[in-house]
């Protein structure tokens, strides 16, 4: 699953999640002993479910027969149900009673007689509720391609919401076969995990029955229906691929359909097990939930991350491909082999993230995708460098914790980086053999981390558990310090020292150690791994002292490196000659060491100044991002103008060599880089850039064909920032006249970047108005809080006054996550006591731990801000002298 609202908030505010207990090392998967809240003496084997949704009244009716296996004599059967009322119940035709308890989300059936071991048939008739957001079976209103208001329905069950649509054993270890049928308006199409088996029309309604599913976990069941149309194709291995969209938008699924075929064929080959279901549907849901969900054979997507219209950008193409590659990786990691319990959610999410990055990089070599993913790795390291961070593997006991485990920084990004490091250390072929063995051993079943380590140990001959458990079971990551000694002939020997890297600058009270595969390369040589297992290791030969040294070669490891001063000086001198990945790693590390107060900003700026004519996108994105952080932190301070002038001077030569206009032979990352550099110079008040953006906007007003969608983004960003009322009104008119949501959001977001407080206020009013269509409700918080950049106090006051409207699309757990994101965003907009009181009023009761963690991050943010301002002022007086 992917949550974009949550990931976007986390990225925007660089947020950590914290204070979660680590899980104890586990045995291999065993159904009887795996953690869970339901008794295992009655096990479902096959469900036959009939539902009749009533979206007009937000209600549903259902009946269900479950083939259950009773494993020891019992009179009671316990399963999950939420907001369901039962009108009839029986076992083997003998009436039974059911008592649901919405507090525990469980129902207890008492049979008419004692059930003996063996197979039995349980029958239930019930009524339930439909939801208005992505939890259970939900109603989704949307503005259709015909300009009219429509309604469709869809489901979102992960983690624990299948129980809202049908009674079930709603824990991942209870795999069963599902045969679903739905009675809906006859004009509608319905899509589920499997192809349609039969369709019977009765006047205005029709009952669609789907073929029995694979044996799978309940959270993977899907039902989407409405005025939907599809396009389809068949891949080389015989799997049928479909893209479903609301009527009129199906042709925007062409790109996704081609991707779907390409990715599934590659995965069939990688895993050595062909995709089991006969078809794979990709379903575009307008709005709905701000992400994508890997239901087996029927993946649902927010339509903005599946459909690509004429106004799509390169960034959207990249996002669509990588999200598809993530959800499709889940068809194996998650669906074919499911984590035994939510503790091992990382077996789903870390793997899907890593596999997606691997596939996206392989299939689109010009995108330099692993370099791009360094941004995600830095996000994870930022979160994981707080004392309150948590391990990849966390112990989960209830529904709220299961939801909280979907932490974008740690479960997704750190997990992805850890797996990449592991693949590189074991070797890609050995790693793949281990994955294939794991899939063969656990297919159509469940797994723990230990099952994976056993398979990888077998194929690699290494004790993988000993290496890996420290990485998934401990919070944080190491700082590896490198000290070189040179002999009389110039040969270099290095000593390594590890300790946990904490951004606050304190030393690690827990004295954590890791097994760190340190990839070392000297000069232009290839890298060799040294496994650093103790606190210190000495006597490692590392080339010649005259050559640069790379101690995280290829930017593959999840650790930071601090070089001694002479080695850093050698590296800085040779910086322009280093491979791009190593430049990126050194810039990241030197910047983080500056934030932590462990080095001087001047050492970072020396690297940035040594970039020369290099056009590497991620390296420059890192520089532009770091300078941008300082520029924001310097606002309203005496050093602001001097620093901003310095930043413009540093970056301007890059702009001079790129220019405004794309060249036909520009690689995709160069186009991205051009937009970032222009955007940054605009943000830093470069008069030439601002004047040119205004000129180009005027030409665009006269002739809408003068700017491509990618160019519109950068021009609108600058023009929106410096807008006067007339310009603001012009952008607003474009927004209202936009033909589709992608285009509309581009203009609406431009309204949320105004420096002028009066316009910022107008922009926020627009964001919460009825002008924003229902399917864009998830974007509203992001729109309003874009104003934090230039008008933090105003955005804070507005959020406080209109919280209900701003967050109307957020469901339970998203609101809990706000406690983590919001305090840091407003750390310097209002007194922290006031921020805490507001956040407390926003989030559900019982979120105190999250609020404390959010407030701790806010305090850290202020500490880092004052540290970086002091460093920048000192570096500027140095640079002037
Ligand atoms: Zn996922």
């Amino acid at each position: 699953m992917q949550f974009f609202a949550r990931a976007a908030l986390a990225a925007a505010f660089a947020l950590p999640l914290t204070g979660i207990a680590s899980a104890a090392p586990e045995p291999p998967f065993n159904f009887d002993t795996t953690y869970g809240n339901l008794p295992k003496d009655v096990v479902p084997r096959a469900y036959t479910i009939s539902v009749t949704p009533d979206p007009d009244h937000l209600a549903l009716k259902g009946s269900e027969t479950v083939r259950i296996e009773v494993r020891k004599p019992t009179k009671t059967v316990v399963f999950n149900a939420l907001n369901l009322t039962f009108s009839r119940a029986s076992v083997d035709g003998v009436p039974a009673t059911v008592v649901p308890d919405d507090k525990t989300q469980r129902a207890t059936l008492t049979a008419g007689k004692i059930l003996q071991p063996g197979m039995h048939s349980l029958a239930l008739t019930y009524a339930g509720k439909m939801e208005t957001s992505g939890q259970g079976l939900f109603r989704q209103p949307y503005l259709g391609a015909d300009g009219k208001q429509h309604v469709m329905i869809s489901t979102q069950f992960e983690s624990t919401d299948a129980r809202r649509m049908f009674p079930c054993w709603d824990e991942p270890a209870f795999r069963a076969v599902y045969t679903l049928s739905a009675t809906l308006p006859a004009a509608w199409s319905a899509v589920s995990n499997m192809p349609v088996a039969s369709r019977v029309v009765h006047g205005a309604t029709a009952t669609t029955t789907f073929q029995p599913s694979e044996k799978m976990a309940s959270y993977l069941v899907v039902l989407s229906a409405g005025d939907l149309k599809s396009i389809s194709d068949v891949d080389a291995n015989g799997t049928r691929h479909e893209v479903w969209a609301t009527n009129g938008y199906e042709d925007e699924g062409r790109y996704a359909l081609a991707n779907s075929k390409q990715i599934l064929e590659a995965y069939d080959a990688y895993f050595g097990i062909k995709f089991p279901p006969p078809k794979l549907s990709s379903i575009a849901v307008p709005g709905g939930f701000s992400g994508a969900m890997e239901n087996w054979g029927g993946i649902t997507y927010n339509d903005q991350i599946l459909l690509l219209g004429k106004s799509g950008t390169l960034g959207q193409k990249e996002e669509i491909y990588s999200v598809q590659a993530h959800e499709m990786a889940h068809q194996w990691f998650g669906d074919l082999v499911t984590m035994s319990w939510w503790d091992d959610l990382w077996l789903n999410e870390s793997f899907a993230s890593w596999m997606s990055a691997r596939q996206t990089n392989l299939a689109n070599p010009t995108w330099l995708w692993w370099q791009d993913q360094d941004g995600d790795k830095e996000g994870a390291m930022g979160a994981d460098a707080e004392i309150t961070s948590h391990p990849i593997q966390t112990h989960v006991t209830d529904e709220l914790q299961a939801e909280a485990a979907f932490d974008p920084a740690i479960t997704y990004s750190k997990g992805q980086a850890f797996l990449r490091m592991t693949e590189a250390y074991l070797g890609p072929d050995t790693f793949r053999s281990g994955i294939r063995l794991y899939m063969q051993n656990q297919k159509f079943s469940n797994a723990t981390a230990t099952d994976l380590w056993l398979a990888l140990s077998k194929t690699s001959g290494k004790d993988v558990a000993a290496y890996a458990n420290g990485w998934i079971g401990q919070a944080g990551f190491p700082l590896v310090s490198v000290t070189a000694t040179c002999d009389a002939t110039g040969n270099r020997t290095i000593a390594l020292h590890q300790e946990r890297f904490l951004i606050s600058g304190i030393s690690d009270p827990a004295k954590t150690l890791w097994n760190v595969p340190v990839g070392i390369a000297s000069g232009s040589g290839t890298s060799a791994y040294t496994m650093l297992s103790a606190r210190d290791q000495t006597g490692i030969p590392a080339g010649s002292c005259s050559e640069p040294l790379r101690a995280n070669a290829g930017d593959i490891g999840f650790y930071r490196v601090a070089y001694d001063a002479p080695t850093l000086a050698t590296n800085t001198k040779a910086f322009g000659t280093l491979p791009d990945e190593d430049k990126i790693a050194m810039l990241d590390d030197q910047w983080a060491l500056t934030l932590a107060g462990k080095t001087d900003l001047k050492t970072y700026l020396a690297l940035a100044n040594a970039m020369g004519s290099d056009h590497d996108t991620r390296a420059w994105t890192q520089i532009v991002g770091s300078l941008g952080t300082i520029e924001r932190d310097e606002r309203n301070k005496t050093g602001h103008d001097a620093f901003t002038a310095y930043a413009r001077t540093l970056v301007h030569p890059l702009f001079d060599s790129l220019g405004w206009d794309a060249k036909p032979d520009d690689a995709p990352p160069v186009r991205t880089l051009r937009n970032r550099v222009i955007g940054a110079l605009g943000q830093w008040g470069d008069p030439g850039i601002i004047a040119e953006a205004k000129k180009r906007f005027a030409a665009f007003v006269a002739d809408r064909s003068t700017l491509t969608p990618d160019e519109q983004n950068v021009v609108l960003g600058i023009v929106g920032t410096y807008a006067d009322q007339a310009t603001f009104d012009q952008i607003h008119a474009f927004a209202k006249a936009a033909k589709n949501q992608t285009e509309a959001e581009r203009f609406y977001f431009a309204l949320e970047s105004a420096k002028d407080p009066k316009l910022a206020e107008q922009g926020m009013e627009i964001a919460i108005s009825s002008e924003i269509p229902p399917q864009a409700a998830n974007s509203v918080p992001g729109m309003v809080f874009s104003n934090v950049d230039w008008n933090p106090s105003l955005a804070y006051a507005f959020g406080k006054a209109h919280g209900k409207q701003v967050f109307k699309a957020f469901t339970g757990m998203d609101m809990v996550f706000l406690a983590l994101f919001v305090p840091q965003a407003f750390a310097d907009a209002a007194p922290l006591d006031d921020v805490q009181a507001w956040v407390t009023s926003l989030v559900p009761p019982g979120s105190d731990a999250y609020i404390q963690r959010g407030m701790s991050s806010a305090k850290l943010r202020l500490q880092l801000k004052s540290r970086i301002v002091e460093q920048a002022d000192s570096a500027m007086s140095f640079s002037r002298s």
Side-chain angles (χ1 to χ4, degrees):
M1 176 159 57
Q2 292 210 324
F3 291 95
F4 282 87
R6 192 176 296 175
L9 284 168
F13 305 144
L15 244 281
L17 296 176
T18 50
I20 300 171
S22 78
E26 322 140 296
F29 173 66
N30 174 305
F31 175 77
D32 288 301
T33 55
T34 206
Y35 189 90
N37 293 320
L38 293 174
K40 297 206 174 76
D41 53 356
V42 176
V43 182
R45 298 298 179 197
Y47 295 78
T48 304
I49 305 162
S50 300
V51 289
T52 304
D54 178 1
D56 291 344
H57 302 95
L58 288 174
L60 70 92
K61 287 199 173 90
S63 63
E64 174 179 286
T65 308
V66 192
R67 292 284 296 157
I68 54 171
E69 183 182 347
V70 173
R71 302 169 84 206
K72 58 181 182 202
T74 181
K75 231 185 147 180
T76 59
V77 180
V78 181
F79 48 83
N80 292 113
L82 180 57
N83 298 334
L84 303 182
T85 55
F86 294 86
S87 51
R88 286 171 62 182
S90 67
V91 181
D92 302 330
V94 179
T97 55
V98 180
V99 180
D101 176 2
D102 285 343
K103 210 166 153 237
T104 61
Q105 306 190 8
R106 292 193 278 276
T108 303
L109 176 145
T110 305
K113 57 176 188 182
I114 290 177
L115 306 175
Q116 295 302 325
M119 298 302 294
H120 296 268
S121 178
L122 182 157
L124 299 164
T125 306
Y126 62 95
K129 298 204 306 202
M130 284 188 68
E131 307 294 331
T132 53
S133 60
Q135 271 189 314
L137 177 65
F138 65 96
R139 177 178 75 174
Q140 180 60 52
Y142 65 94
L143 196 63
D146 56 5
K148 294 186 181 137
Q149 290 291 335
H150 295 260
V151 164
M152 69 172 284
I153 63 168
S154 193
T155 53
Q156 171 55 39
F157 290 160
E158 194 179 21
S159 312
T160 58
D161 288 319
R163 65 191 67 171
R164 292 172 189 259
M165 186 171 103
F166 54 91
C168 56
W169 282 254
D170 203 8
E171 294 182 359
F174 287 96
R175 302 178 80 97
V177 171
Y178 294 84
T179 305
L180 181 66
S181 64
T183 300
L184 296 156
W188 282 18
S189 301
V191 194
S192 184
N193 307 83
M194 295 297 281
V196 173
S198 68
R199 191 166 188 275
V200 180
V201 179
H202 354 257
T205 61
T207 299
T208 304
T209 302
F210 300 94
Q211 294 175 15
S213 75
E214 306 290 344
K215 196 177 146 199
M216 65 185 193
S218 52
Y219 76 88
L220 294 170
V221 174
V222 64
L223 173 66
S224 299
D227 182 15
L228 307 180
K229 293 279 182 286
S230 70
I231 54 174
S232 66
D233 202 350
V234 178
D235 74 20
N237 299 328
T239 304
R240 181 183 166 82
H241 295 252
E242 304 171 339
V243 176
W244 289 86
T246 58
N247 192 352
Y249 286 119
E250 63 273 17
D251 272 325
E252 295 190 357
R254 295 276 163 209
Y255 174 65
L257 184 65
N259 295 344
S260 181
K261 276 176 64 185
Q262 182 190 64
I263 296 166
L264 206 73
E265 287 172 6
Y267 288 0
D268 280 346
Y270 185 89
F271 292 113
I273 298 176
K274 185 186 170 292
F275 177 66
K279 63 89 185 172
L280 176 59
S281 311
S282 301
I283 308 156
V285 181
F289 59 104
S290 64
M293 176 62 211
E294 68 264 22
N295 318 295
W296 211 359
I299 306 172
T300 46
Y301 296 84
N302 178 299
D303 62 349
Q304 295 299 298
I305 46 173
L306 187 70
L307 305 180
L308 187 74
K310 282 193 198 68
S311 61
T313 59
L314 171 65
Q316 280 172 304
K317 274 185 88 167
E318 292 176 343
E319 184 169 42
I320 290 168
Y321 194 98
S322 66
V323 174
Q324 284 186 281
H326 176 106
E327 302 307 329
M328 289 168 69
H330 275 311
Q331 306 297 303
W332 284 262
F333 288 118
D335 299 1
L336 179 65
V337 180
T338 309
M339 75 247 139
S340 62
W341 176 247
W342 300 104
D343 288 15
D344 272 316
L345 178 68
W346 77 278
L347 279 174
N348 283 10
E349 298 304 343
S350 306
F351 267 93
S353 300
W354 164 77
M355 190 75 183
S356 163
R358 182 189 172 281
Q359 171 64 22
T360 304
N361 186 64
L362 274 177
N364 306 280
T366 62
W367 293 357
L368 302 178
W369 195 246
W370 275 122
Q371 289 192 26
D372 179 273
Q373 292 295 291
D374 178 73
D376 280 49
K377 189 172 91 166
E378 281 301 298
M381 288 184 133
D384 210 20
E386 292 202 34
I387 186 77
T388 46
S389 184
H390 66 86
I392 291 175
Q393 192 182 46
T394 57
H395 185 49
V396 167
T397 57
D398 61 21
E399 285 75 10
L400 194 69
Q401 289 177 3
E403 276 282 296
F406 289 86
D407 166 2
I410 303 299
T411 315
Y412 290 68
S413 299
K414 182 183 180 183
Q416 165 180 318
F418 160 66
L419 289 169
R420 185 183 187 213
M421 178 170 76
T422 305
E423 185 204 26
Y425 169 61
L426 296 178
D429 292 343
T430 304
F431 189 76
R432 185 183 55 203
S433 302
I435 296 297
R436 286 179 175 174
L437 180 63
Y438 166 78
M439 287 289 161
Q440 276 299 337
N441 291 345
Q442 313 299 134
K443 65 185 176 188
F444 299 102
S445 181
N446 296 62
T448 68
T450 298
D451 292 304
L452 180 65
W453 308 148
L454 287 171
L456 287 169
S457 296
K458 194 156 187 184
T459 56
S460 68
K462 294 188 164 98
D463 184 352
V464 177
Y467 148 76
N469 279 329
W471 286 98
I472 63 163
Q474 303 185 122
F477 58 88
L479 169 67
V480 175
S481 303
V482 178
T483 310
T485 47
C486 307
D487 68 14
T489 57
N491 285 327
R492 177 166 50 202
T493 305
I494 57 172
L496 303 177
H497 172 85
Q498 64 160 307
E499 60 182 81
R500 184 176 176 189
F501 178 75
L502 288 163
I503 198 78
S504 62
I506 62 166
S507 60
D508 174 24
K511 310 278 180 230
T512 322
L513 281 177
W514 288 264
N515 291 291
V516 194
V518 182
I520 298 166
S522 180
S524 56
T526 53
S527 70
Y529 279 107
T530 291
M531 182 58 86
L532 173 62
S533 300
R535 180 74 60 201
D536 289 282
Q537 191 168 332
T538 56
I540 304 157
S544 157
C545 280
S546 60
E547 296 173 332
L549 178 73
R550 296 170 277 140
N552 184 6
D555 188 27
I556 287 168
F558 197 80
Y559 56 90
R560 296 209 182 279
V561 179
Y563 297 95
D564 61 25
T567 309
L568 182 63
T570 306
N571 286 352
T572 305
K573 213 170 135 201
F575 195 61
T577 68
L578 296 179
D580 288 338
E581 290 77 6
D582 295 286
K583 287 197 189 98
I584 294 165
M586 286 182 201
L587 286 164
D588 286 336
D589 289 346
Q590 220 51 37
W591 172 247
L593 290 167
T594 304
L595 286 179
K598 288 185 180 296
T599 187
D600 197 306
L601 178 65
K602 290 165 202 162
T603 64
Y604 171 80
L605 294 177
L607 292 180
N609 278 298
M611 281 291 287
S613 58
D614 189 310
H615 279 184
D616 185 67
T617 299
R618 172 58 199 163
W620 276 112
T621 299
Q622 204 286 342
I623 293 168
V624 163
S626 302
L627 299 179
T629 298
I630 301 175
E631 188 272 325
R632 270 193 299 280
D633 286 347
E634 282 275 16
R635 285 184 198 163
N636 306 316
K637 304 259 189 307
T638 51
H640 178 265
D641 292 355
F643 179 79
T644 310
Y646 173 85
R648 289 200 303 255
T649 308
L650 202 161
V651 168
H652 215 286
L654 175 66
F655 165 72
D656 293 336
S657 69
L658 291 168
W660 270 91
D661 295 305
K663 296 167 189 69
D665 59 342
D666 279 344
V670 172
R671 287 190 270 155
T672 305
L673 177 62
R674 175 180 294 108
N675 290 343
R676 285 188 185 150
V677 170
I678 294 173
L681 286 170
Q683 184 85 353
W684 303 337
D686 186 291
I689 294 282
I690 296 168
E692 181 63 21
K694 286 183 174 169
K695 202 174 113 196
R696 285 172 182 248
F697 180 70
F700 177 71
V701 171
D703 176 0
R704 295 279 295 275
S705 71
T706 56
L707 294 177
T708 66
D710 285 291
E711 291 165 341
Q712 288 172 37
N713 271 334
V714 67
V715 168
L716 284 167
I718 298 168
V719 171
T721 300
Y722 299 99
D724 57 15
Q725 186 71 54
T727 308
F728 185 92
D729 292 343
Q730 178 65 65
I731 299 172
H732 191 194
F734 283 149
K736 284 198 280 195
K739 295 278 187 298
N740 62 50
Q741 195 187 336
T742 308
E743 205 184 359
E745 287 204 8
R746 184 177 306 140
F747 294 118
Y748 276 117
F749 268 91
L751 296 177
E752 307 297 336
S753 58
K755 267 182 105 164
D756 180 341
K758 181 173 61 91
L759 298 177
E761 189 85 47
Q762 290 177 26
M764 291 187 284
E765 290 289 351
I766 291 168
I768 60 164
S769 74
S770 58
E771 233 182 277
I772 306 299
Q775 63 261 41
N778 274 312
S779 298
V780 172
M783 289 171 69
V784 169
F785 293 132
S786 292
N787 289 285
V788 171
D789 189 5
W790 287 111
N791 290 289
S793 307
L794 212 56
Y796 179 72
F798 191 90
K800 231 175 129 175
H802 304 283
K804 272 212 165 61
Q805 290 137 288
V806 173
F807 298 115
K808 68 180 174 194
F810 275 33
T811 51
M813 196 59 212
D814 293 325
M815 293 305 286
V816 176
F817 268 71
L818 283 182
L820 295 165
F821 300 140
V822 166
Q824 187 172 193
F826 294 109
D828 49 11
L832 289 183
D833 290 355
D834 198 78
V835 174
Q836 180 162 356
W838 178 49
V839 168
T840 306
S841 75
L842 269 181
V843 302
S847 310
D848 293 0
Y850 292 83
I851 296 169
Q852 291 313 319
R853 280 147 50 190
M855 294 310 298
S856 152
S857 295
K859 286 177 195 135
L860 179 66
R861 168 85 193 98
L862 293 178
Q863 186 194 340
L864 297 188
K865 179 175 171 171
S866 72
R867 190 181 283 161
I868 203 69
V869 166
E870 199 183 306
Q871 286 267 344
D873 290 349
S874 147
M876 289 310 99
S877 62
F878 169 84
S879 79
R880 276 198 298 269
S881 65

